[in-house]
Amino acid sequence: MADDQLPDSVVAAADAIKSGEMSARELTSACIEKAERLQPKLNCFISFQPEKALAAADALDALLLSGDPVGPLHGVPMAHKDMYYRVGEISTCGSKIRKNFRPDHTATVIERLDDAGAIHLGSLNMAEFAFGPTGHNVHWGDCRNPWNTDHITGGSSGGTGSAVAARIAFAGLGSDTGGSVRLPSALCGLTGIKPTQTRVSRYGVMGLSFSLDNVGPLARTVQDCARILGIIAGYDSNDATSSNVPVDQYESFTIDPKIKGLKIGVPKNYYYDEVTVEVRDLMNASLKIYEGLGAHIIEVNVPSHEKLTDLANVVMGSEAATLHGAWLSERPNDYSDQVLARIQPGLSYPATRYLQALQVRPKITHQFVEQVFNVCDVLHAPVLGIPVPTIIDTDLKGNPGFATLLSQMTYCTRPANYLGLPAIAVPAGFTSNGLPSSFQLIGRPFAEGVLFRIAAAYQNATDWHRQAPEI
């Protein structure tokens, strides 16, 4: 089936199947064909399961014919980062250490997607143990950007970014501890949301830093992300950290959204400190669109941001080193040099410094929310301040400036994780190297609906999110 015959979004795919315009098997077969053709170029899968996917599609087609109720993702092929557990199925977490790990339970978010009718194509490539913003992986091979395979996908959810951007899967789950949903979304031309900390259950999901980890979808449109987040969000008795704040009808915020009179804040400090001219120009162009839609653009100061990277590093480093303590002692040679170099410093942080980084977090978050969201509805900022770099440029051994480039990768994304705030990445055009660039909208805690509303208004006025790579 040709690409121009396929639905262009999760919502369109679910509607096409429900109406009988196409079957789940037809759609799944088309995705499988594309996966088989593009996997050698992109290396986006670690585990590919075409037979199971087709069997699931046949069962869903039979269910639809029976007249029984169907879910909001009925028959939609998806694939997820290889850190979402399915009982008895290998979940490598992108590592050598877990290459044969078979969990004894299934992630709550996977169960909810299955119940909604999603079809699982396989598990996707990722940075080792989700510790890396570029997408490199020495154990399973580097994942490649479908816009230009010499360039990185962004990490750590690189396989999800690559597979969804290449139109192999309609959507997929990533994880975001320092930007790992927003970065591959931005670098691959997708929409992706990091929800409020605790909004989505993390039961059955490999952990990196339990104070900063978030589960979120990468998809083609804001409406797609809203539908998926509405399915996976909400309290889970298996995850004591999950919030019982009621889940809004997120998708309703994306239907004919009006934003006239809303205030969009542009940071005067921090976020533009390391932004290139062409990325800044794209950010300004997106703000002009918002002005045309009736939004008010105002400048705001963001408090405490100079401290946030150090505080986040202390929290992430300490918690990651705690989770990996036994392996660091017993199997250090089974880590890549890059991941080992990033985890080991966490063993050296004093407990007092870690606890202090956690203790000041609520105060800093409250200060940020008060000072920023009392004057604007959302904060608008770049996701990545530079054009998408190449795989060689971001290789630890191939670039003496690696450390500086690595810090640039998460400069704009990490604050939202430490603050626990929701943030959505939205495609906003292309830089001169032909690779995508995106802005992010950051909101109050549990204000995902507002983010969806403002992001959807932009996508209704532009078509960057509908651009697809030729591969």
Side-chain angles (χ1 to χ4, degrees), residues 365-421:
T365 300
H366 178 76
Q367 181 187 33
F368 180 90
V369 170
E370 288 292 308
Q371 291 189 22
V372 173
F373 298 124
N374 279 346
V375 297
C376 65
D377 296 289
V378 296
L379 189 71
H380 177 290
V383 174
L384 179 66
I386 60 175
V388 180
T390 65
I391 291 174
I392 292 175
D393 287 342
T394 49
D395 182 76
L396 173 63
K397 297 180 180 179
N399 179 11
F402 169 81
T404 299
L405 187 54
L406 197 69
S407 68
Q408 286 179 305
M409 292 293 299
T410 58
Y411 185 83
C412 292
T413 57
R414 185 165 288 183
N417 293 86
Y418 181 77
L419 296 169
L421 302 176

Side-chain angles (χ1 to χ4, degrees), residues 108-119:
T108 296
V109 289
I110 294 299
E111 290 181 340
R112 290 178 180 179
L113 292 175
D114 288 348
D115 291 344
I119 291 174

Side-chain angles (χ1 to χ4, degrees), residues 226-307:
R227 178 169 292 193
I228 294 168
L229 186 61
I231 292 166
I232 63 174
Y235 177 72
D236 172 24
S237 60
N238 287 318
D239 178 1
T241 69
S242 63
S243 174
N244 59 8
V245 172
V247 178
D248 292 331
Q249 296 295 318
Y250 294 134
E251 197 171 347
S252 67
F253 288 87
T254 70
I255 308 301
D256 193 26
K258 305 297 184 187
I259 63 167
K260 186 176 181 179
L262 292 183
K263 296 176 181 178
I264 297 177
V266 179
K268 290 193 287 186
N269 57 314
Y270 186 83
Y271 285 95
Y272 282 92
D273 290 352
E274 300 185 15
V275 171
T276 64
V277 172
E278 60 180 331
V279 171
R280 183 183 290 271
D281 287 345
L282 290 172
M283 298 300 100
N284 289 337
S286 70
L287 291 168
K288 288 290 185 183
I289 295 292
Y290 276 124
E291 281 188 314
L293 295 171
H296 300 302
I297 309 302
I298 60 174
E299 291 188 329
V300 297
N301 283 309
V302 293
S304 305
H305 268 55
E306 291 71 20
K307 310 173 186 176

